[in-house]
Amino acid sequence: MIRDPELLNQLVDTISRFVRERLIPNEVRLAEEDAVPPELLQEMKEMGLFGLSIPEEYGGLGLTMEEEALVAIEIGKTSPAFRSVFGTNNGIGAQGILIDGTPEQKAQYVPRLATGELLSSFCLTEPDSGSDAASLRTTAVRDGDHYVLNGTKRYITNGPEADLFTVMARTDPSNKGAGGISAFIVEGDTPGLKRGPSDDKMGQKGAHTCDIIFEDCRVPAENIIGGKEGQGFKTAMKVLDRGRLHISAVCVGVAERLVEESLNYAIDRKQFGVRLADHQLIQAMLADSKTEAYAGRTMVLDAAQRKDAGEKVSTLASCCKLFCAEMVGRVADRAVQVHGGAGYMAEYAVERFYRDVRLFRIYEGTTQIQQLVIARDMVREVS
């Protein structure tokens, strides 16, 4: 549901130019330094990238889901770590507060999330509970006008730098399911909140994760999202549709970048006296990748339009996440194959993307979780 096509086109063109002229030329620097260059971070804030999906009343751009998807596709055409730094502010770091937070919580935190003054993070996964999020063990015990949090969260995006954490913790020990979980807003300098060392990952250098440890961490009772217990897991589930569609759009952008890299290499490179692009087996790989990227784009934009129209799109969001995350992995694999030996070398972007895209099949719900969600929704609808 694009409200002003002309303004949106200007925004997409601006971001596309920013990606081409500022981010892509700094991809190697990002990987080597394992950090987003400070000047680029500042430019992202000035462009409003930290507030893409945050309503205008809180200082954001207030994009619809379709508009956000189109922007995310453009952002996906560079190293995923660039997007990761502001992604949580637009997604799970802010949406929970926006959807279920009290007016006071929204006023206190959301405007600063929109400008990038605060960097947010989302704490759900634990050492013994990943996909089975309802089995988390982190506890929050009421003590006067505070809750005392104890537990460890794992693989937390932006964990080393975040100023604000949305933390899922069990407030009702007698309820072992999702109903016993509450969501808390925890500021990064709260005593008792400790950060583990940055994780050494396969890919996505510059996007940092670490353990977040809570040891008798006292959080004001007023910081429980929505002002009441037992709503945390429901809050987490409410933000998943938008998050999964956003990640799917990013996968499409990466796939389109890889198609471009593969095509350009195949045109420039010769084997047996002719261009690689003129060999039919190379053409088959290029054609398959182009087709799958187009299919992913079409799926994401259709689901986004339906969400903007008020339809329930949980099943479609999982379909998009399942297809696009797997699709970009296949496209990356073909890109390396088209490049041949060069594709295995660090000097070519496809080698880095091959490692980077592997994560898309894991976070925001693994491929296997998406399969379960889709099938169970199908059965539930018929039953």
Side-chain angles (χ1 to χ4, degrees):
M1 190 179 296
I2 296 174
R3 298 159 300 175
D4 189 326
E6 184 176 349
L7 282 177
L8 178 64
N9 287 338
Q10 291 176 4
L11 175 63
V12 172
D13 288 345
T14 298
I15 291 176
S16 178
R17 186 167 60 253
F18 178 64
V19 168
R20 291 194 314 270
E21 297 177 0
R22 299 292 291 137
L23 300 187
I24 291 177
N26 280 283
E27 287 176 347
V28 173
R29 178 185 173 191
L30 170 74
E32 291 178 346
E33 297 180 2
D34 192 20
V36 176
E39 67 274 17
L40 293 180
L41 187 62
Q42 183 58 37
E43 289 179 44
M44 291 176 185
K45 293 178 181 179
E46 293 171 356
M47 292 179 66
L49 296 185
F50 282 82
L52 291 172
S53 64
I54 294 175
E56 293 176 79
E57 63 189 281
Y58 294 107
L61 298 182
L63 300 186
T64 66
M65 188 70 250
E66 183 182 6
E67 292 166 345
E68 182 182 337
L70 289 168
V71 168
I73 289 172
E74 293 306 312
I75 293 169
K77 294 177 182 178
T78 185
S79 294
F82 284 122
R83 183 215 63 89
S84 183
V85 71
F86 61 81
T88 51
N89 276 36
N90 288 289
I92 52 183
Q95 291 300 318
I97 301 175
L98 279 167
I99 293 171
D100 285 340
T102 64
E104 293 78 13
Q105 290 167 349
K106 295 176 185 179
Q108 182 175 357
Y109 295 112
V110 177
R112 291 191 287 163
L113 291 171
T115 62
E117 175 189 344
L118 295 178
L119 182 63
S120 67
S121 192
F122 186 79
C123 296
L124 178 60
T125 301
E126 297 185 357
D128 294 321
S129 64
S131 297
D132 184 14
S135 67
L136 63 83
R137 297 182 181 180
T138 296
T139 60
V141 179
R142 184 71 182 254
D143 182 21
D145 58 357
H146 285 75
Y147 282 87
V148 180
L149 273 61
N150 282 282
T152 298
K153 300 294 184 178
R154 181 144 293 173
Y155 311 134
I156 304 305
T157 300
N158 289 339
E161 302 91 6
D163 306 292
L164 196 70
F165 296 86
T166 297
V167 182
M168 299 293 156
R170 191 169 299 283
T171 48
D172 183 358
S174 66
N175 187 337
K176 302 301 182 183
I181 297 171
S182 302
F184 295 87
I185 302 170
V186 184
E187 297 183 4
D189 59 358
T190 304
L193 186 156
K194 301 180 180 179
R195 307 166 198 250
S198 291
D199 298 318
D200 188 9
K201 306 188 303 299
M202 176 192 296
Q204 298 212 15
K205 297 296 183 182
H208 302 145
T209 64
C210 72
D211 283 3
I212 301 295
I213 303 107
F214 300 95
E215 294 180 354
D216 294 329
C217 181
R218 296 181 64 83
V219 179
E222 63 192 31
N223 279 27
I224 190 169
I225 293 182
K228 58 182 178 181
E229 296 183 1
Q231 301 299 307
F233 194 77
K234 294 178 182 178
T235 297
M237 295 301 102
K238 289 177 184 178
V239 306
L240 283 180
D241 288 351
R242 192 174 197 110
R244 286 172 176 169
L245 288 175
H246 178 95
I247 291 298
S248 299
V250 173
C251 289
V252 171
V254 176
E256 291 181 352
R257 165 74 183 279
L258 288 168
V259 170
E260 180 182 352
E261 294 281 343
S262 300
L263 179 60
N264 290 338
Y265 186 84
I267 289 174
D268 292 340
R269 178 78 169 172
K270 288 187 176 182
Q271 286 289 308
F272 305 105
V274 298
R275 301 179 304 177
L276 280 179
D278 294 322
H279 289 279
Q280 289 185 333
L281 294 178
I282 298 295
Q283 291 176 346
M285 289 190 283
L286 293 173
D288 285 348
S289 292
K290 175 70 173 181
T291 300
E292 289 201 282
Y294 172 63
R297 174 184 276 264
T298 302
M299 287 178 67
V300 171
L301 293 181
D302 175 70
Q305 291 166 3
R306 290 171 182 265
K307 179 174 174 57
D308 287 337
E311 293 185 33
K312 189 176 183 298
V313 296
S314 296
T315 304
L316 297 182
S318 286
C319 289
C320 289
K321 173 62 167 59
L322 168 62
F323 178 81
C324 293
E326 293 287 335
M327 173 273 291
V328 74
R330 293 190 292 269
V331 172
D333 186 75
R334 293 189 200 105
V336 171
Q337 198 71 10
V338 168
H339 281 70
Y344 203 68
M345 300 298 145
E347 65 184 286
Y348 287 88
V350 295
E351 181 273 339
R352 184 180 63 252
F353 277 111
Y354 182 80
R355 290 179 287 107
D356 288 347
V357 303
R358 187 59 182 84
L359 184 58
F360 290 133
R361 292 161 59 188
I362 299 173
Y363 66 8
E364 294 282 348
T366 65
T367 289
Q368 288 66 40
I369 289 297
Q370 307 309 324
Q371 291 171 321
L372 292 176
V373 169
I374 295 165
R376 288 173 180 172
D377 285 353
M378 292 168 65
V379 173
R380 188 181 300 114
E381 289 173 7
V382 173
S383 300

